[in-house]
Amino acid sequence: MAKLSVRDLNVSGKRVFMRVDYNVPMEEKDGKMVINDTTRIKETLPTLRLLLGNGARLVLAAHLGRPDGKREPSMSLAPVAAKLGEMLGQPVGFLEECVGAKAEAAVAALGNGQALLLENVRYHAEEENNDPVFSAQLARLADVYVNDAFGAAHRAHASTSGVARIVHAWGGPCAAGLLMERELKFLGDELDRPARPFVVILGGAKVSDKIKVIDRLLEKADTILIGGAMAYTFKLAHGGKTGKSLVEKDHTGTALAAEAKAKERKVQFCLPSDTVIADLKDTGKLNKKGRPVFEPINPRVISGDIPDDAEGFDIGPATAQAYAAIIQGAKTILWNGPMGMFEDKRFAEGTNAVAQAVVSATQQHGAKSIIGGGDSVKAINKAGLGDKVTFASTGGGASLEFLEGIPLPGVVCLDDK
Ligand code: AMP
């Protein structure tokens, strides 16, 4: 059922407690923390502008990093408040606390159309424990609850769900922000009733991470294209040799079961016909876990078995071409997980070819393309194509759980329309 939206609310003069995802990448420069990427802040601006324009007194809550219940200065949200003020074109107050008398007084002093950002809610261990007392303290700052933090909606924490339950019990509305609403529309409604053919592209590291998504999408998709290291577990399951590639030996049965279900449901299920492999050179260095670090050398394309000493890092050109042709004919596309180790440009060609095909299906053939978060969004942005798809999810873990059909606590707690 559709969730209540910020667009449905009368917020004039009301204290709106809004959970946002400001978990932005930061870096220390000359003793100061600076924000490396402001995408997450930018994504919230439409909801903020709507609420402030309608006269809300806006209280923003967010987490940054994993301070584990301690006041860790490098994880303060102070730089975010400053950047947000700049981007919004009006000052945003910053409060060094998120609960207590000081916070309550600052919120009481807010005028209509003014905003402040509370300090990192994870400075309190009670946040992640969804502590009812802490939730009630946060709720003292709220007449209305809004959640725009889709990326944190799979967590049942105080600020993502506990506060909402209390506001709801008091009779206050709990609504989805515009960003949250778009996530639910594209990852939910659009995929529930897809225009056909519906092509799903799944890649990434592990079958075990994606099997629930595969299983659920087998109920809806016309075609599933498999890439990434995940493909090698399927290869192994068919008796192929995978050399030193990333495989999950105990998930060959899972892989075969997925293929059997695809056959039963008449879903076209495609595995790579060729692979980019490389030999592994010992660098003599050790990683953080004390294991030797190998560097891939001598990349080349093969079809068939992967030699014992080599590792697979990408889908090959024949596979990329075949997948691109299928993608071009799609009317709905969902993509989750890169086709190879795209962070190394020698192994990014498969992922880039798929990204190009998704963009051309969208731009030239009117397909709806939905990029399901995490590394596939990184990959499409790295290829400079992020704004040429229909929708790129802001959630990593949250999108995956949502696509698996798991109810997200940060969504469940919102009022139905
Ligand atoms: P996931 O989070 O499961 O979507 O996995 C994304 C990660 O899988 C990325 O960091 C890729 O580098 C990695 N990956 C994809 N294909 C391969 C491969 N063939 N070998 C090693 N890593 C891969």
Side-chain angles (χ1 to χ4, degrees):
M1 183 182 280
K3 292 290 177 185
L4 188 71
S5 154
V6 269
R7 288 174 296 119
D8 307 322
L9 302 175
N10 172 6
V11 292
S12 179
K14 305 243 175 75
R15 295 170 307 158
V16 177
F17 182 101
M18 175 160 143
R19 178 59 156 95
V20 284
D21 182 4
Y22 287 164
N23 191 21
V24 291
M26 292 229 204
E27 191 182 14
E28 193 184 318
K29 272 194 193 140
D30 304 324
K32 269 174 66 181
M33 296 305 290
V34 263
I35 301 168
N36 276 338
D37 181 347
T38 56
T39 312
R40 286 189 167 152
I41 304 177
K42 192 173 120 215
E43 298 276 6
T44 65
L45 296 180
T47 312
L48 263 64
R49 291 203 170 107
L50 176 79
L51 287 167
L52 293 170
N54 288 339
R57 295 154 63 200
L58 195 53
V59 182
L60 299 167
H63 79 274
L64 180 63
R66 295 174 184 273
D68 291 332
K70 287 190 268 324
R71 194 168 261 280
E72 167 54 54
S74 67
M75 295 177 194
S76 169
L77 282 165
V80 175
K83 180 53 83 183
L84 173 62
E86 253 172 56
M87 292 170 75
L88 196 57
Q90 75 172 68
V92 172
F94 177 70
L95 214 80
E96 282 164 4
E97 248 316 331
C98 63
V99 288
K102 255 194 191 165
E104 286 170 34
V107 171
L110 272 180
N112 293 5
Q114 290 185 337
L116 64 74
L117 174 64
L118 303 172
E119 183 55 287
N120 193 342
V121 282
R122 288 199 188 167
Y123 277 4
H124 297 259
E126 296 90 335
E127 160 68 5
E128 289 183 73
N129 296 335
N130 198 2
D131 181 87
V133 175
F134 182 68
S135 298
Q137 284 178 305
L138 289 172
R140 287 171 70 93
L141 311 176
D143 300 312
V144 174
Y145 177 82
V146 173
N147 195 348
D148 216 15
F150 180 76
H154 56 318
R155 312 278 185 218
H157 292 171
S159 65
T160 57
S161 100
V163 191
R165 302 223 174 267
I166 295 167
V167 171
H168 182 76
W170 289 346
C174 299
L178 299 176
L179 176 60
M180 174 72 88
E181 209 182 5
R182 270 168 64 74
E183 295 275 0
L184 301 180
K185 169 174 150 59
F186 284 107
L187 295 180
D189 304 346
E190 294 284 354
L191 299 184
D192 281 341
R193 289 179 295 278
R196 297 191 179 277
F198 176 22
V199 174
V200 174
I201 312 154
L202 289 172
K206 293 180 178 174
V207 172
S208 58
D209 282 351
K210 305 276 162 88
I211 189 60
K212 289 198 197 115
V213 175
I214 299 178
D215 210 48
R216 184 141 186 272
L217 290 168
L218 276 168
E219 317 261 331
K220 296 179 186 167
D222 297 298
T223 302
I224 295 193
L225 308 175
I226 300 285
M230 176 159 76
Y232 309 129
T233 299
F234 283 91
K235 195 180 180 87
L236 193 65
H238 286 282
K241 291 202 167 152
T242 54
K244 296 232 169 335
S245 307
L246 208 60
V247 286
E248 293 175 286
K249 291 199 177 81
D250 47 350
H251 276 286
T252 49
T254 317
L256 291 178
E259 279 188 82
K261 183 167 172 180
K263 202 169 174 191
E264 185 192 308
R265 299 195 65 91
K266 301 195 170 49
V267 175
Q268 183 186 18
F269 198 87
C270 303
L271 294 168
S273 60
D274 59 349
T275 310
V276 180
I277 62 164
D279 299 320
L280 300 173
K281 184 180 147 207
D282 193 343
T283 60
K285 294 180 191 150
L286 298 178
N287 68 13
K288 280 183 200 153
K289 290 183 180 159
R291 301 210 183 105
V293 176
F294 293 95
E295 188 201 334
I297 55 163
N298 188 21
R300 59 204 184 272
V301 177
I302 58 135
S303 49
D305 284 337
I306 300 177
D308 288 347
D309 289 336
E311 180 171 344
F313 287 105
D314 193 10
I315 56 171
T319 307
Q321 206 180 5
Y323 283 10
I326 293 173
I327 294 165
Q328 299 279 1
K331 279 283 169 260
T332 308
I333 301 160
L334 171 68
W335 180 16
N336 185 295
M339 296 290 100
M341 202 174 75
F342 73 100
E343 295 91 341
D344 182 329
K345 76 172 189 304
R346 295 172 299 168
F347 308 118
E349 282 181 27
T351 300
N352 288 343
V354 162
Q356 287 289 356
V358 171
V359 165
S360 123
T362 314
Q363 303 286 329
Q364 282 157 35
H365 309 296
K368 267 189 191 145
S369 52
I370 298 160
I371 316 300
D375 274 323
S376 15
V377 173
K378 260 189 222 156
I380 204 152
N381 284 337
K382 200 164 178 206
L385 300 169
D387 56 350
K388 295 194 168 59
V389 293
T390 312
F391 181 72
S393 175
T394 55
S399 348
L400 209 58
E401 287 193 24
F402 192 73
L403 291 171
E404 285 172 12
I406 297 175
L408 306 185
V411 176
V412 172
C413 70
L414 304 176
D415 296 342
D416 292 328
K417 256 202 183 162

